[in-house]
Structures are given as structure tokens and as C-alpha cells.
Amino acid sequence: MPELPEVETVRRGLEAKLRHRRFARVIVRRGDLRAPMARDFARRVEGRRIERVERRAKYLLIHLDGGLVLLAHLGMSGRMVLGRHGDNALGAPGPHDHVLFEVDDGTELRFTDPRRFGRLELVDESELQAHKLLAHLGPEPLGKDFTAGLLSAALAGKRTPIKAALMDQRVVAGIGNIYACEALYWADISPKRLARTCTGIRAQRLVAAIRKVLRRAIAAGGSSLRDHVQPSGELGYFQHSWAVYGRAGEPCPRCKAARVPCRIRRIGQGNRSTFYCPRHQR
Ligand SMILES: [Zn+2]
């Protein structure tokens, strides 16, 4: 599943390649995504210029001229693929290439999504803030509003484990399972600790750790468990390694110098797997 760093990497690629270009033609081959696409989607998008591409949590917000925003979510398996229109490298559209956007410079943007949990919606710019998918989101983890004070306040009354609280989109937006595990690891906080005890200095460590793991991954060009086509159009996928995620049974990188090395443990929390070091995460 694409996490925030992948979405940010896609955003950067889209912004670099599409800004000030125009969608000349849009072909909806299959519109029954997570939410059915509007019947007039293609007609409303065709001819519009791309003004800028923003991101909120894991939503891409493609601002078009005339005050229209194309809100896109990659869901479980969605990808944005850019290539030259009609190019062999892009190939003929396959069964999972649901929407084709022909750009006025001869490139083509494809929305590809085998599992169809993604979304493509059109929203008036004036209604964006109040949109049901965006209205309740907490602060952006890389934004200046996300401070230890704010996080402390959000966690103060919470009796859930901190891992679950970090994945609560009202507390902080866009943190999924992988980065919740990684941030807790670098903050030396057990995923089982009650959220309301993660205020003060622990909240400071958490904010710093969340920013660190996200920034590192973005710098690495995003990371994914599956192949993820770079928005530059390059085929291929990022290899990214995590400190704890997916590493059950391996020595903890921070504690491996200890005489008896401790190993990364995997537990179930909710219906997700959590990976952590039982020695230094308290
Ligand atoms: Zn450790």
C-alpha cells in the first residue's frame, strides 16, 4: 500500500511534469473505483490546465484552472504512470489502466489500479476544506503545525495503545502501519504504551522520529512493498529498508552491540502487525 512518502514522491513527479500543462483528452476506461467516478469526469477535466499539485495526508490534490480540484487516492494498489503517448515503452493500455489522461505535450498519465480501491473525484476548490475525506484530518506530520504540544494535547485523554493513536488520522494525518512502527522504534517508545502517557518529552521524541522517518523515505525516493513506478515515468521500484518493519526475529540494529542481542518482535495490534524491539522501546 502506498504510504505518505510514496504519495509525496508521486506528487513531486506530477508537479514537475504536469504543472502548467493541459489535459487535452481524458479516457475513462473503467470508472467503478472505490467510489464510482462521476459520469461527466472526462468532460469536466478535458481542456483544463494543471496549476499545481498538492498533497494532504495520502490524497493528491491536482488543482486545475477554473477552481476545480482532482482529488486522487492511490488506495491499496494504485499507481500513476507517465510516459510518451503512443510510445512503446508505455505500451497499449492494460486491463488495470482505468483512466488515461492525454497531456498537451504528448505525454500520457495513466491511473492504474488492479484492486480498484483508489479514488478519482472532482471537487470545487471552495469546498475542498469541508470535503468529507479531508475535513477531519489532523495536522500534516511534516508541516509546521505538527508540534509536540499539539501531539501531547491530542494524546492526553487516549486510552488506546500509542501505535493505534498514531494511525488515527485525526491525531496526525497520513501515518500508516509501516511508519507508525518505524517512528516508535526511533522514539524508543513501546507500541503497547498507552497513548495518554506519551505526552511531554515522549511527544517531543515522537514528533522528531515521525519527521525523521518520513523525510528519510521521501529523500530515498519513496518506498514500497510492491513495485511502484516513479512518477518520472521510469519503470522500476524503490528498494527501501526499514529498521523494524518486516524484520521479526532479526537483531535490533540499536541493541545488537549488547552481549545478548535482542531480536525484533512481531505482535498483532488490531488487525495489523506491529514490529518493535522489546528491549529499548519502553
Ligand atoms: Zn533495541
Side-chain angles (χ1 to χ4, degrees), residues 179 213 216-217 220 222-224 238-242:
Y179 290 95
V213 296
R216 271 192 190 166
S223 56
S224 178
F238 304 114
Q239 292 287 346
H240 190 66
S241 62
W242 292 289

Side-chain angles (χ1 to χ4, degrees), residues 56 74 84 91 148 179 201 274:
R56 178 75 171 108
L74 301 175
R84 299 297 296 179
Y179 290 95
I201 186 80
T274 298

Side-chain angles (χ1 to χ4, degrees), residues 7-279:
V7 179
E8 176 60 19
T9 306
V10 172
R11 185 198 72 76
R12 290 178 184 192
L14 291 174
E15 171 101 351
K17 297 286 184 182
L18 297 185
R19 192 169 190 182
H20 304 321
R21 306 258 39 123
R22 221 173 259 284
F23 286 132
R25 186 162 171 244
V26 179
I27 300 161
V28 179
R29 303 176 72 231
R30 183 156 187 180
D32 55 336
L33 304 179
R34 177 154 186 175
M37 289 175 64
R39 284 173 181 273
D40 60 355
F41 181 93
R43 186 181 59 75
R44 292 182 71 193
V45 171
E46 278 176 352
R48 291 197 196 245
R49 197 180 67 239
I50 297 103
E51 293 189 331
R52 63 187 184 282
V53 185
E54 297 177 345
R55 178 188 56 73
R56 178 75 171 108
K58 295 203 283 184
Y59 296 97
L60 291 161
L61 305 172
I62 303 172
H63 288 257
L64 305 172
D65 63 357
L68 194 66
V69 179
L70 170 48
L71 180 153
H73 194 280
L74 301 175
M76 306 283 285
S77 57
R79 293 185 302 175
M80 297 280 191
V81 183
L82 264 172
R84 299 297 296 179
H85 178 52
D87 190 333
N88 284 337
L90 204 57
H96 304 304
D97 295 330
H98 304 311
V99 185
L100 316 179
F101 300 84
E102 294 178 12
V103 184
D104 64 354
D105 65 352
T107 58
E108 183 177 307
L109 173 68
R110 288 185 179 175
F111 179 72
T112 301
D113 189 0
R115 297 184 65 178
R116 285 183 288 112
F117 279 109
R119 285 179 189 267
L120 292 174
E121 287 186 32
L122 296 174
V123 185
D124 282 331
E125 202 162 31
S126 61
E127 292 165 12
L128 199 58
Q129 282 213 321
H131 190 277
K132 64 182 192 300
L133 296 172
L134 307 179
H136 304 293
L137 291 174
E140 280 294 313
L142 295 174
K144 60 179 175 359
D145 296 342
F146 184 54
T147 61
L150 199 80
L151 182 61
S152 282
L155 298 178
K158 282 196 174 284
R159 294 165 184 277
T160 56
I162 184 62
K163 163 89 181 312
L166 290 184
M167 291 174 66
D168 179 343
Q169 300 301 298
R170 292 165 299 184
V171 171
V172 54
I175 305 290
N177 195 41
I178 294 173
Y179 290 95
C181 291
E182 293 291 303
L184 287 164
Y185 176 83
W186 293 110
D188 304 332
I189 294 172
S190 167
K192 296 187 284 188
R193 174 176 278 280
L194 282 183
R196 63 177 175 169
T197 68
C198 295
T199 55
I201 186 80
R202 288 196 183 94
Q204 285 179 22
R205 294 208 308 259
L206 260 175
V207 168
I210 288 168
R211 289 178 184 275
K212 180 167 95 170
V213 296
L214 292 176
R215 285 208 178 109
R216 271 192 190 166
I218 291 167
S223 56
S224 178
L225 295 175
R226 289 167 186 272
D227 63 317
H228 195 78
V229 177
Q230 292 195 42
S232 64
E234 282 177 89
L235 294 168
Y237 47 92
F238 304 114
Q239 292 287 346
H240 190 66
S241 62
W242 292 289
V244 280
Y245 187 80
R247 293 187 176 274
E250 295 182 29
C252 167
R254 285 179 82 164
C255 301
K256 66 184 174 194
R259 212 157 56 86
V260 182
C262 62
R263 295 188 180 275
I264 303 300
R265 190 174 290 171
R266 183 177 76 86
I267 56 169
Q269 280 187 306
N271 54 359
R272 309 299 296 272
S273 286
T274 298
F275 299 85
Y276 74 111
C277 169
R279 179 181 287 170

